[in-house]
């Protein structure tokens, strides 16, 4: 599958372990090296800033999308290739979706969870068939994956819907996993859980 742009969901904080920021920088560098546009939330701080700065340093294209009310809070990154200021979080998420061929999730907090589960729900509902890959850096997402497994066992999530979230252990495995992703197909058998 040809991926020309990837949306990154990740923390606007750096987290407590330097491995998280290094993973973000690796993702940014690798996107630039492969000529893949990085689409992200537009901030200059935390993992968001680390990924964007690394992509830019590597000569990559970076498209930031930030709502007006977060311009100061997330310290808008004025160095990006293109900065788009939108009116709301809802608009930000829709524009990030529109501009991306795939989604990568690095460690983050509540906003990252919100974005991840919304894009997965949209895929479950057949609104898109873009790859969604969670990068489980240093086991950060182990508890979330365990919770998702519990939801499947309890009968609230069908196994095929849980499988819509691909998981890799390292950023280095992200782009090869995208290259192996099956081509988009129509979703004729949408089942809601």
């Amino acid at each position: 599958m040809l991926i020309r742009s990837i949306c990154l969901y990740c923390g606007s904080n750096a987290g407590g372990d330097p491995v998280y920021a290094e993973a973000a920088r690796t993702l940014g560098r690798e996107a630039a090296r492969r000529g893949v546009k990085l689409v992200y939330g537009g901030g200059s701080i935390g993992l968001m800033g680390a990924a964007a700065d690394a992509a830019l340093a590597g000569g990559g294209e970076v498209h930031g999308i930030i709502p007006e009310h977060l311009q100061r809070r997330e310290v808008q990154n004025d160095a990006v290739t293109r900065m788009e200021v939108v009116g709301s979080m809802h608009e930000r998420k829709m524009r990030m979706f529109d501009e991306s061929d795939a989604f990568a999730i690095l460690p983050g907090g509540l906003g990252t969870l919100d974005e991840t589960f919304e894009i997965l729900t949209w895929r479950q509902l057949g609104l898109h068939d873009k790859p969604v890959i969670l990068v489980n850096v240093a086991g950060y997402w182990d508890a979330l994956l365990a919770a998702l497994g519990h939801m499947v066992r309890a009968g609230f999530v069908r196994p095929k819907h849980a499988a819509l979230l691909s998981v890799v252990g390292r950023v280095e495995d992200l782009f090869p996993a995208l290259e192996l992703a099956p081509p988009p197909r129509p979703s004729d058998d949408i089942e809601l859980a």
Side-chain angles (χ1 to χ4, degrees):
M1 175 173 209
L2 179 62
I3 302 295
R4 294 177 302 262
S5 59
I6 189 163
C7 178
L8 174 61
Y9 297 144
C10 65
S12 59
N13 291 310
D17 189 330
V19 71
Y20 304 140
E22 184 51 40
R25 287 189 290 273
T26 299
L27 190 151
R29 284 191 299 266
E30 190 62 16
R33 187 182 76 75
R34 291 172 176 265
V36 174
K37 177 175 72 171
L38 180 67
V39 179
Y40 84 117
S44 64
I45 57 176
L47 300 189
M48 287 197 302
D53 290 345
L56 291 166
E61 182 180 356
V62 179
H63 182 172
I65 303 173
I66 194 165
E68 294 169 4
H69 74 278
L70 288 182
Q71 279 182 289
R72 293 185 63 149
R73 190 172 182 184
E74 291 182 354
V75 192
Q76 176 180 310
N77 189 339
D78 294 323
V80 299
T81 313
R82 178 178 175 207
M83 178 59 69
E84 186 175 343
V85 180
V86 296
S88 70
M89 291 296 286
H90 297 294
E91 190 177 354
R92 174 199 226 181
K93 289 190 280 188
M94 194 67 215
R95 289 294 301 132
M96 290 171 80
F97 170 81
D98 289 341
E99 291 293 322
S100 303
D101 296 325
F103 302 87
I105 299 107
L106 288 180
L110 297 177
T112 303
L113 286 174
D114 169 59
E115 292 164 330
T116 299
F117 281 102
E118 182 166 50
I119 209 66
L120 276 176
T121 301
W122 290 4
R123 190 160 183 208
Q124 174 186 323
L125 295 173
L127 300 176
H128 75 90
D129 201 13
K130 300 176 183 182
V132 180
I133 300 183
L134 184 142
V135 185
N136 193 16
V137 178
Y140 178 81
W141 293 115
D142 285 351
L144 177 69
L145 294 170
L148 189 56
H150 172 72
M151 294 163 76
V152 169
R153 289 187 300 278
F156 286 98
V157 175
R158 288 185 173 83
K160 71 177 189 174
H161 293 148
L164 295 175
L165 178 66
S166 299
V167 180
V168 296
R170 307 171 318 136
V171 171
E172 292 81 359
D173 300 324
L174 171 66
F175 288 96
L178 287 170
E179 291 167 3
L180 298 173
R185 58 172 170 46
S187 297
D188 295 336
D189 62 336
I190 298 168
E191 296 178 30
L192 305 179

